[in-house]
Amino acid sequence: MDPSDQSSELFASFPPIPFTLFLPEENFSLNINPNSDTTINTSITPDQDSTNGSSQFFPFTVPKKRRRGRPQRSVTSFNFPPFPNGSFSGNNGIVSSSSSSASVPVSRNNVGSSSSNVPDVADEIIVINKESTAEALLALTAGFPADHLTEDEIDARVVSVIGGIEQVNYIIIRNHIIAKWRENVSNWVTKEMFIDSIPTHCHTLLDTAYNFLVSHGYINFGVAPAIKEKIPAEPSKPSVIVVGAGLAGLAAARQLMRFGFKVTVLEGRKRAGGRVYTKKMEGGNRVCAAADLGGSVLTGTLGNPLGIMARQLGYSLHKVRDKCPLYSLGGKSVDPDMDLKVETAFNHLLDKASMLRQSMGEVSVDVSLGAALETFWQAHGDAINSEEMNLFNWHLANLEYANAGLLSKLSLAFWDQDDPYDMGGDHCFLAGGNGRLVQALAENVPILFEKTVHTIRYSGHGVQVIAGNQVFEGDMALCTVPLGVLKSGSIKFIPELPQRKLDGIKRLGFGLLNKVAMLFPRVFWEMDLDTFGHLSDDPSRRGEFFLFYNYATVAGGPLLIALVAGEAAHKFESMPPTDAVTRVIEILKGIYEPQGIEVPEPIQTVCTRWASDPFSLGSYSNVAVGASGDDYDILAENVGDGRLFFAGEATTRRYPATMHGAFLSGLREAANMANYANARALKLKIDRGPSKNAHSCACLLADLFREPDLEFGSFSVIFGRKNADPKSTVILRVTFNDPQKKNHEGPNSDQRHTNKLLFQQLQSHFSQQQQLHVYTLLSRQQALELREVRGGDEMRLNYLCEKLGVRLVGRKGLGPNADSVIASIKAERGNKKPSSTYLALKSGTSKMKTSSTRNAVRRAKIVRNSTRVAAAAPVSNTPNDIKQMDQDSSATLQIKPT
């Protein structure tokens, strides 16, 4: 532990925490073949009642991040309910087939039903095949829940009503499409393949599900010939600049090219891949090997997009085997019983730390994981010897490796917030190195190497990316540089990034892992294992060469890689390479020479220095003290009204610090960029035909306000949900004489009704006429403050005048600034027609996204200070003014305080 970390004193007053480990029932198993995403076998023992569908749960194992370095001996399970043989409830939930209430008919031919009670086909759950449960499990590996929609699906309006039968059918169709593509990921799945198997009344859902999956990169992605041929020969859409040719940048570039964009990738290095780097090592006698000096392990193969790419290319994956012996200082093998005892105690302490953070609540946000573990270990009742202490420190080093961070800096509250989203399945090496995937992704992608970007300018009109003395202009830009580069400030953003994003960059941690790769003339170690560990008696050096990877099985030659984690990784940056190699050889000789095995001198060695690399400045991200999973979402937010986007492993809340997380973030941003570009193209089309399209613009705004994000009294607000900046622009609409809305807020008799007369005049004037809609632009913070005003609509009008000084205008008076806001909102909501029955949060409740990964979830606080809209000169309004406004939608309603 870091001696300077005094946080452990916080735990002195906490009593021992009861601990119970959940273990799945012995007679249930879920076996998924890692070589085939579609082979899912569920087995139930004969004495199990297989007819009671409501009581069966399949344990779905989730390997924890804590075990990334050394394969886990036992894994925690969560219960996955089988896809319903009965029905779904109308509120997203699954109800038992034995339940008589709230049940939904599955067939129109219900026995004993009369013609008057026969439900409409739209009220039935469709049946495509008998593999619904297997297909749901397969979709789960792609990140889709079994019984509800993802946030992206909700934002895309894939269904008109949340929680109904339509949603159930959409999920069944979505899962079926995913399963169909996974049968052969080298094919391009078309919509026509499903026409015959899906009922006609659900073809609209088929269109929606297929378009969502393709545009967001859940199917038909990768490097198979059938997919590559879909890239058009000539781009038809605006230009995009991608900064960085790592996995995120390459994934986004290929997807954008397929969408028809003109793409240019700028890379500072002389190679593609970023932190994924496979180096060919070679010596005399034709000895050579491929060494992964950066990202090396595919952490989970179930649904892993990199595993899918490996299948497309015919590359083999090698499972990292569970056997991992540990060796003490003198090279003696650690007693297996002692190893198991300390490992069990270590995992028990982690579980106690998890219980502790729940009892501490939000206080745990500011406490380190290291402080908790150190305190619990010191309070451990059993006497420990020096070897047990060394074993405990080895497990701490393994945990620091998994998180690329010092335990004294990891957040107790959120260090493992991504565990529920683990891909599942085996951890694997790719034969020949991950550079083979990089090479396939980079093929035919226009990459300009040795272009070090130092400035990015963005505005509502486009972007400029400056590298050296060259200026690259585009419609949009995607920044995929590592978090370490963003933290360093080596790239200047003009204008400066929003403070919200700057704070997120500062809060998140960015750790370090280094390696020593050694090519030997022959293999002298055991070939029946893939990893072995070494203990240290110095806690500050516990991560120094603590774990060795046997790469001889996949590298093509006798290659060993030693890992350096934690505090030792930082000291390693300044250690002379010769000293580092000498130290590793001493360790290996101490292990093998007592067994009578000679350790030869290596033919070639390579030492990494990832913290000194100006294009990475570290290895991968972690949740530091004071940070949370929300910060990953903040880093993923685009800026400049959909002009500058961000991708990379530090922008994905579910899969941070992983290669597949980086890849998936690139696909995610390609979809976002395409949505914004399509919205701008729609706006441009509207602008070019003012007479014809003025009505279209009005209809678009009316459609958006059918599902307002905020609604209170006669006021409603729409805004972009993916941009949570309190200063972001929103559109406010005030409706006069809305018969559906009544003001239930009783006025305070002590308050002055400053605009009561005007309000009554407006309501009276339009009592026998059509509704009047007037608008204005506010900041999101101002809209939230307006919602909190008490005293009814009159007091809110008074607040708009006295506090904000705004002018209410007709639709035409909103101007071009509103057009970009409307386009952004339209891009987020997608092209599906909104429905008035869609999930709407009324009475002033916002639809902003929330997170519930842990019991104690840290929310980003809204800044209370916001820029006010410039006040217009107040004038009085007469009934004649009001009548004129009714006739001219571009007129202005100005409110004069009385």
Side-chain angles (χ1 to χ4, degrees):
M1 292 298 146
D2 186 351
S4 63
D5 187 357
Q6 303 297 323
S7 302
S8 58
E9 298 177 0
L10 294 171
F11 302 98
S13 60
F14 283 91
I17 297 174
F19 166 73
T20 303
L21 177 65
F22 167 78
L23 293 175
E25 297 181 22
E26 294 290 340
N27 52 1
F28 285 97
S29 66
L30 172 63
N31 300 315
I32 300 181
N33 185 346
N35 296 320
S36 175
D37 287 320
T38 58
T39 305
I40 301 179
N41 301 317
T42 57
S43 59
I44 304 175
T45 56
D47 59 336
Q48 176 73 27
D49 181 10
S50 61
T51 63
N52 186 5
S54 62
S55 64
Q56 297 176 11
F57 289 87
F58 299 108
F60 193 83
T61 58
V62 182
K64 297 298 182 183
K65 179 188 285 186
R66 69 180 73 168
R67 308 303 300 154
R68 177 181 292 171
R70 188 187 194 189
Q72 190 168 347
R73 302 183 190 209
S74 61
V75 292
T76 306
S77 301
F78 67 81
N79 287 332
F80 179 82
F83 215 71
N85 295 323
S87 62
F88 278 69
S89 70
N91 190 25
N92 289 4
I94 300 176
V95 297
S96 169
S97 57
S98 62
S99 173
S100 59
S101 61
S103 62
V104 180
V106 178
S107 170
R108 288 181 61 90
N109 299 319
N110 292 327
V111 177
S113 62
S114 64
S115 58
S116 60
N117 294 326
V118 173
D120 184 80
V121 291
D123 295 330
E124 299 177 359
I125 296 179
I126 64 173
V127 178
I128 300 176
N129 54 35
K130 297 180 180 180
E131 305 297 328
S132 295
T133 299
E135 292 181 352
L137 285 169
L138 199 59
L140 182 66
T141 68
F144 290 103
D147 61 342
H148 60 277
L149 305 177
T150 65
E151 289 184 351
D152 286 339
E153 287 177 304
I154 293 174
D155 289 344
R157 301 296 201 275
V158 295
V159 295
S160 60
V161 180
I162 293 292
I165 297 302
E166 181 190 26
Q167 174 178 308
V168 177
N169 288 336
Y170 167 85
I171 291 175
I172 293 173
I173 294 170
R174 177 200 68 195
N175 297 349
H176 183 61
I177 295 173
I178 294 173
K180 182 68 175 179
W181 186 63
R182 292 284 186 86
E183 289 177 4
N184 187 348
V185 294
S186 294
N187 282 348
W188 179 273
V189 170
T190 65
K191 196 183 308 179
E192 288 68 30
M193 294 179 179
F194 307 96
I195 294 294
D196 295 335
S197 60
I198 293 176
T200 304
H201 72 278
C202 287
H203 282 183
T204 300
L205 290 179
L206 170 62
D207 292 341
T208 303
Y210 179 84
N211 293 337
F212 177 85
L213 293 173
V214 172
S215 64
H216 286 73
Y218 288 105
I219 62 172
N220 294 344
F221 68 83
V223 291
I227 295 171
K228 290 192 291 185
E229 68 182 17
K230 296 295 181 179
I231 298 177
E234 294 294 333
S236 59
K237 295 186 177 180
S239 61
V240 173
I241 302 170
V242 178
V243 181
L247 288 178
L250 293 176
R254 293 196 74 87
Q255 192 79 329
L256 289 168
M257 289 169 64
R258 191 178 65 74
F259 291 160
F261 288 90
K262 180 182 179 181
V263 177
T264 302
V265 181
L266 304 180
E267 170 56 51
R269 295 184 174 93
K270 297 180 180 180
R271 59 171 181 84
R275 286 167 283 169
V276 177
Y277 178 32
T278 302
K279 179 178 176 58
K280 183 178 181 181
M281 301 178 65
E282 52 190 343
N285 299 323
R286 298 181 180 179
V287 177
C288 62
D292 275 323
L293 301 180
S296 56
V297 182
L298 271 66
T299 51
T301 53
L302 299 182
N304 192 316
L306 301 183
I308 290 174
M309 279 184 55
R311 288 174 58 195
Q312 291 175 337
L313 295 166
Y315 296 161
S316 61
L317 298 177
H318 173 80
K319 175 186 175 182
V320 180
R321 290 166 286 188
D322 293 345
K323 184 178 179 181
C324 181
L326 301 181
Y327 297 92
S328 61
L329 293 174
K332 181 182 177 182
S333 178
V334 173
D335 178 64
D337 292 335
M338 182 186 295
D339 184 7
L340 181 60
K341 172 187 174 183
V342 174
E343 181 178 2
T344 301
F346 176 78
N347 287 329
H348 181 65
L349 294 184
L350 283 176
D351 290 311
K352 288 180 71 175
S354 178
M355 297 289 290
L356 175 65
R357 66 184 172 194
Q358 294 182 34
S359 63
M360 293 178 69
E362 293 187 0
V363 177
S364 63
V365 172
D366 298 318
V367 178
S368 74
L369 174 65
L373 292 179
E374 181 177 338
T375 301
F376 287 136
W377 180 251
Q378 291 174 352
H380 195 60
D382 298 335
I384 58 174
N385 56 39
S386 59
E387 187 168 12
E388 288 177 335
M389 190 66 217
N390 294 340
L391 263 172
F392 180 74
N393 279 319
W394 186 92
H395 285 287
L396 295 179
N398 189 37
L399 195 58
E400 289 180 322
Y401 156 49
N403 292 274
L406 302 178
L407 296 183
S408 59
K409 295 184 178 180
L410 289 180
S411 167
L412 170 63
F414 300 111
W415 70 275
D416 59 347
Q417 61 86 34
D418 58 310
D419 269 359
Y421 311 111
D422 192 288
M423 281 287 178
D426 297 323
H427 289 199
C428 297
F429 294 136
L430 177 69
N434 296 315
R436 302 174 74 190
L437 299 180
V438 172
Q439 183 179 5
L441 283 171
E443 181 183 357
N444 296 327
V445 174
I447 307 174
L448 302 179
F449 295 104
E450 297 185 87
K451 302 296 180 185
T452 304
V453 173
H454 56 80
T455 305
I456 298 178
R457 299 177 184 270
Y458 62 96
S459 69
H461 303 290
V463 295
Q464 287 186 336
V465 179
I466 306 174
N469 57 1
Q470 290 182 281
V471 178
F472 299 87
E473 295 186 341
D475 190 67
M476 296 176 288
L478 174 63
C479 180
T480 71
V481 300
L483 176 59
V485 176
L486 292 176
K487 281 179 172 289
S488 72
S490 59
I491 296 180
K492 182 178 182 180
F493 293 92
I494 303 176
E496 182 62 275
L497 295 177
Q499 190 61 45
R500 168 185 171 85
K501 188 178 286 286
L502 294 175
D503 291 343
I505 291 171
K506 183 178 180 180
R507 281 191 298 263
L508 277 179
F510 195 66
L512 183 62
L513 174 73
N514 275 314
K515 299 181 179 181
V516 178
M518 298 162 290
L519 179 65
F520 290 93
R522 65 180 184 277
V523 173
F524 58 86
W525 55 90
E526 301 93 328
M527 286 298 291
D528 62 341
L529 52 80
D530 295 305
T531 57
F532 60 91
H534 173 260
L535 309 186
S536 171
D537 60 352
D538 183 354
S540 67
R541 299 175 63 182
R542 65 190 177 212
E544 184 179 86
F545 317 124
F546 82 103
L547 188 68
F548 289 80
Y549 276 147
N550 166 23
Y551 260 76
T553 55
V554 293
L559 180 70
L560 272 182
I561 293 183
L563 305 186
V564 191
E567 185 179 345
H570 293 272
K571 295 179 179 178
F572 183 80
E573 292 278 326
S574 57
M575 181 185 294
T578 53
D579 294 352
V581 173
T582 300
R583 173 64 181 144
V584 176
I585 297 301
E586 288 176 356
I587 292 173
L588 292 174
K589 287 182 177 180
I591 295 172
Y592 290 103
E593 287 187 350
Q595 304 176 37
I597 300 174
E598 179 187 359
V599 177
E601 291 297 315
I603 299 173
Q604 186 184 8
T605 61
V606 177
C607 298
T608 65
R609 299 282 190 271
W610 286 107
S612 304
D613 185 337
F615 300 113
S616 62
L617 299 176
S619 298
Y620 40 92
S621 63
N622 56 60
V623 184
V625 173
S628 75
D630 293 343
D631 291 314
Y632 288 112
D633 292 335
I634 291 172
L635 261 67
E637 293 172 355
N638 67 77
V639 298
D641 267 340
R643 295 293 182 175
L644 178 58
F645 298 78
F646 294 83
E649 58 85 13
T651 69
T652 170
R653 183 193 197 110
R654 291 190 170 195
Y655 313 113
T658 63
M659 293 184 289
H660 61 266
F663 183 90
L664 289 171
S665 74
L667 298 181
R668 177 199 70 210
E669 291 311 304
N672 287 337
M673 297 170 84
N675 279 338
Y676 274 96
N678 292 338
R680 279 191 287 268
L682 175 63
K683 175 184 177 299
L684 184 61
K685 183 178 180 181
I686 292 173
D687 290 344
R688 286 178 175 174
S691 58
K692 177 181 178 181
N693 292 311
H695 177 69
S696 300
C697 184
C699 291
L700 177 58
L701 190 60
D703 282 343
L704 294 176
F705 268 104
R706 287 177 188 170
E707 301 166 18
D709 297 284
L710 292 176
E711 192 168 13
F712 41 92
S714 298
F715 296 73
S716 51
V717 179
I718 58 172
F719 50 72
R721 297 170 193 160
K722 293 186 178 180
N723 183 3
D725 185 357
K727 296 182 180 180
S728 60
T729 303
V730 306
I731 301 178
L732 170 75
R733 186 181 75 177
V734 184
T735 302
F736 293 101
N737 193 37
D738 189 340
Q740 297 178 351
K741 299 176 183 177
K742 297 184 182 295
N743 185 12
H744 296 290
E745 301 175 83
N748 188 330
S749 58
D750 296 331
Q751 294 176 321
R752 294 179 60 203
H753 297 187
T754 55
N755 286 286
K756 185 174 183 179
L757 178 60
L758 171 63
F759 189 76
Q760 291 175 344
Q761 288 176 338
L762 288 167
Q763 294 283 28
S764 174
H765 179 74
F766 291 97
S767 60
Q768 303 300 323
Q769 302 182 35
Q770 63 181 5
Q771 294 179 0
L772 169 68
H773 297 308
V774 288
Y775 306 85
T776 192
L777 298 181
L778 300 174
S779 70
R780 179 180 292 206
Q781 181 61 36
Q782 289 170 332
L784 293 174
E785 292 172 354
L786 180 63
R787 180 186 64 179
E788 300 304 318
V789 173
R790 295 294 175 254
D793 291 337
E794 298 92 342
M795 295 307 298
R796 293 191 181 104
L797 282 173
N798 181 66
Y799 184 87
L800 279 174
C801 169
E802 291 190 349
K803 297 294 185 180
L804 304 183
V806 303
R807 295 186 299 173
L808 295 173
V809 299
R811 176 186 52 77
K812 295 180 181 178
L814 281 173
N817 288 338
D819 293 342
S820 61
V821 177
I822 294 171
S824 297
I825 298 172
K826 177 62 177 175
E828 285 189 13
R829 296 190 180 184
N831 296 322
K832 185 172 178 65
K833 272 191 174 182
S835 167
S836 58
T837 58
Y838 198 88
L839 178 66
L841 305 182
K842 303 296 184 181
S843 302
T845 303
S846 170
K847 290 183 183 176
M848 291 181 288
K849 294 180 181 178
T850 58
S851 311
S852 56
T853 305
R854 296 293 177 196
N855 290 335
V857 179
R858 186 171 184 267
R859 305 291 184 188
K861 292 184 172 59
I862 298 177
V863 181
R864 300 299 302 176
N865 297 324
S866 58
T867 305
R868 304 297 186 184
V869 177
V875 297
S876 62
N877 293 275
T878 67
N880 288 335
D881 297 328
I882 298 170
K883 184 176 181 180
Q884 179 62 30
M885 177 178 292
D886 184 31
Q887 298 170 353
D888 183 3
S889 62
S890 65
T892 301
L893 172 62
Q894 296 176 307
I895 305 172
K896 178 181 179 180
T898 60

